Amino acid sequence: MSETTELTSQYAAQVTSDLERNLKEQERLHDEIGSLQAQLAALQHNHTILMNIQQALGVPALPADEPAAAVPAPRKRKALSGGARQKKAEKPTTPARKRADKKSTAKTTGTEPTLVDLVHAHLAGQSEPRSAAEIATALDQQHPERTVKTTVVRTTLEGLVARNQAQRARQGRSVFYTASDATKPAAPSGEAAQQPA
């Protein structure tokens, strides 16, 4: 009987300790949610001000502004998942807006070509295959105002290959790219099949 009483008191102490930790964690998360809600309110206020300025300047609204209205919905779920989802939702918005700003700037000025255009033009002007790193370095030197990363150039090149606007050739562990001949789409694919052999 004394062992049962001792076990009961140990379990009771453990449960009490767990309850205290649980309450502290709930308070911490509640404070964090309050802080995130304050940050969201500030961002929404800034968004409203920026939209008013944008309208005053006569600049058309960007489609990237639409998802901001959907952000408050996840707060109805549990505190932890709502906070985690809110953080995830905020991260992709910034690069999308930057890309949209660059695209809108290019459209309004009409002078800034896309990276796809730059890469394709560079390939078309080369007489021999080039690696993604070589192309990125060349474009970085030709366009110092742009940030040109090798990984982005490689992705762009693979997109061109997928659209039959470029060819890929492997030499050992290296991959080299050349522009496809637009007038003869069948011939380059046959050559590419013969090169690795």
Side-chain angles (χ1 to χ4, degrees):
M1 192 68 171
S2 64
E3 289 179 12
T4 305
T5 307
E6 189 176 315
L7 273 173
T8 304
S9 64
Q10 285 178 355
Y11 284 134
Q14 182 65 40
V15 167
T16 303
S17 173
D18 289 347
L19 281 171
E20 288 174 4
R21 273 197 301 270
N22 185 290
L23 286 173
K24 286 179 183 177
E25 184 67 11
Q26 285 183 38
E27 288 174 13
R28 184 187 69 77
L29 290 174
H30 184 64
D31 291 343
E32 190 175 326
I33 289 169
S35 171
L36 289 171
Q37 286 176 338
Q39 289 176 12
L40 178 61
L43 286 171
Q44 288 173 334
H45 177 70
N46 290 345
H47 181 265
T48 303
I49 292 171
L50 291 170
M51 288 295 291
N52 290 338
I53 293 171
Q54 187 180 43
Q55 288 175 351
L57 292 173
V59 179
L62 298 175
D65 294 337
E66 296 299 323
V71 172
R75 276 197 247 139
K76 294 177 184 176
R77 298 182 184 205
K78 291 183 179 179
L80 184 60
S81 63
R85 288 174 188 257
Q86 187 175 3
K87 286 180 183 177
K88 287 181 184 176
E90 289 175 8
K91 285 184 180 179
T93 320
T94 306
R97 283 191 181 163
K98 285 182 181 177
R99 285 192 299 265
D101 289 345
K102 284 184 180 179
K103 287 180 183 176
S104 65
T105 304
K107 287 178 184 175
T108 54
T109 61
T111 58
E112 188 176 331
T114 64
L115 184 62
V116 175
D117 294 337
L118 291 175
V119 170
H120 191 261
H122 181 78
L123 275 181
Q126 300 302 310
S127 59
E128 56 188 44
R130 298 280 182 216
S131 70
E134 291 171 331
I135 295 169
T137 302
L139 291 178
D140 198 32
Q141 290 172 354
Q142 292 172 1
H143 303 277
E145 74 282 358
R146 295 180 76 135
T147 304
V148 180
K149 295 186 178 182
T150 305
T151 54
V152 178
V153 170
R154 187 176 295 113
T155 303
T156 304
L157 287 164
E158 289 300 324
L160 290 171
V161 169
R163 292 191 302 265
N164 292 325
Q165 294 178 351
Q167 292 177 312
R168 177 191 327 115
R170 291 187 182 274
Q171 294 179 3
R173 296 182 122 182
S174 301
V175 179
F176 293 92
Y177 299 90
T178 55
S180 292
D181 187 0
T183 58
K184 300 176 187 175
S189 61
E191 290 173 8
Q194 293 172 0
Q195 282 179 354

